[in-house]
Amino acid sequence: MIQFIEEHHRRDLLRSHGVEPRHRLLFVGPPGGGKTSLAEAVATELAVPLLSVRYEGLIGSFLGETAARMEALFDAVRIRPCVLFFDEFDVVAKERGDTHETGEIKRVVSSLLLQVDRLPSHVIVVAATNHAELLDRAVWRRMQLRLELPYPTRAGKVEWLQAWSTRTGVDLGLSPRTIADRLGRVSFAELEEFALDVQRRSILSGPEPDSLAVVQQLLMQWSSRAAVSEE
C-alpha cells in the first residue's frame, strides 16, 4: 500500500513518462478484517472524499434499470478525484458463468466492468468482498492491486492491544499476549469491541477499578459467546 500511495502523491512524475498510477484495488477477507477502514485510510492519506456505493439505490428491478443507474453513477464520480468504495462487491460482480444467475445479472456485471475500465486514474476504485470465490474471473484481471486481509495473527492482536492501551490509558489487567491467546480467532473489529467493553466496565466500576477482575469477567463472557457461535 505504501507504493500505491506514493504513486498517487507523485503522479505528475509518472505521467511525465507516460505512465498512470494504479487505481483499482481489491480487498479480500472475512468480516471485520479492516477492509472498510483501509479504504478510509487510502482516502484520508490522499485527501480525497470516500464515496461508498449503496446497492439499494443502484440495483433496480426492471430490465436495463441497473445498468442505467450504474452509468449515471460512474459519470458523476469521474469528474473529481475520489475513492469509490464497493463493499460486498460480489453482490454486483458475480461470476457470469454461474448457471443460476439471470441474464440481467450477467449484463450488469459486463456493464460494471466496462465502466470501471473507463474511469480515469484519479478515481480510485476499491472493491471489498468476504467471498472472493463468487467474483467474476474478469474482476481479478482488472484489479491492479489485490490484498488479502485475513484474521489478525497473535502478534497482530498483541500489537493492537498494546497500542490501544497506550492511546486510551486503560489498564488491561492482563498482558496483551494472554488476552490475545484467550480471545482466540477474532477479527480486528471484534478486538476493538472487546477493548471498548473493557473501557466501559472500567469506567462504570468507579474511580479505582479492579482491572484484572474486569478483564477476566469479560474474557469469560467472550469465551461463552464464542462457544455458542460454534454450535
Side-chain angles (χ1 to χ4, degrees):
M1 285 303 300
I2 295 176
Q3 294 176 345
F4 177 84
I5 296 298
E6 181 187 15
E7 289 175 18
H8 282 269
H9 280 315
R10 306 181 68 187
R11 56 186 175 274
D12 289 342
L13 175 59
L14 289 176
R15 287 169 180 164
S16 70
H17 291 270
V19 179
E20 291 291 327
R22 291 173 292 178
H23 64 110
R24 297 191 292 269
L25 312 178
L26 177 64
F27 298 160
V28 177
K35 297 185 293 296
T36 301
S37 297
L38 188 52
E40 292 171 347
V42 170
T44 299
E45 184 64 29
L46 297 178
V48 298
L50 175 72
L51 306 179
S52 296
V53 177
R54 295 176 55 191
Y55 295 128
E56 64 270 22
L58 183 64
I59 299 176
S61 56
F62 299 103
L63 183 66
E65 186 177 7
T66 301
R69 291 179 180 179
M70 197 172 296
E71 183 175 358
L73 166 69
F74 282 95
D75 284 345
V77 301
R78 72 173 64 248
I79 62 176
R80 60 170 176 169
C82 64
V83 172
L84 183 62
F85 181 55
F86 289 86
D87 197 7
E88 300 181 358
F89 196 53
D90 47 278
V91 172
V92 290
K94 289 183 178 180
E95 170 60 55
R96 283 171 290 183
D98 187 346
T99 56
H100 295 94
E101 292 298 344
T102 64
E104 174 68 356
I105 289 294
K106 295 177 182 179
R107 284 189 290 271
V108 167
V109 175
S110 297
S111 176
L112 171 64
L113 296 178
L114 181 62
Q115 293 291 348
V116 167
D117 283 342
R118 291 175 175 172
L119 284 176
S121 62
H122 63 251
V123 178
I124 299 169
V125 176
V126 178
T129 181
N130 306 332
H131 302 287
E133 72 280 0
L134 299 180
L135 292 176
D136 190 90
R137 284 166 289 184
V139 171
W140 294 91
R141 294 196 300 272
R142 281 169 169 79
M143 295 304 170
Q144 299 155 315
L145 182 61
R146 298 176 288 275
L147 295 179
E148 285 201 29
L149 302 176
Y151 284 103
T153 62
R154 180 177 186 260
K157 289 183 289 185
V158 169
E159 182 180 358
W160 191 95
L161 288 165
Q162 288 174 333
W164 182 86
S165 181
T166 299
R167 185 178 74 253
T168 61
V170 175
D171 184 0
L172 291 171
L174 294 170
S175 72
R177 290 181 177 82
T178 300
I179 296 173
D181 290 339
R182 291 185 60 179
L183 283 175
R185 192 178 80 159
V186 292
S187 67
F188 279 115
E190 290 170 320
L191 198 58
E192 182 179 28
E193 183 182 346
F194 172 82
L196 290 173
D197 279 349
V198 172
Q199 188 173 26
R200 293 187 191 99
R201 296 317 310 168
S202 296
I203 293 170
L204 295 174
S205 296
E208 296 183 3
D210 185 342
S211 300
L212 177 60
V214 168
V215 171
Q216 286 182 328
Q217 181 182 21
L218 287 172
L219 283 171
M220 290 179 61
Q221 293 175 2
W222 275 68
S223 176
S224 299
R225 187 176 76 169
V228 170
S229 65
E230 290 174 0
E231 291 180 356

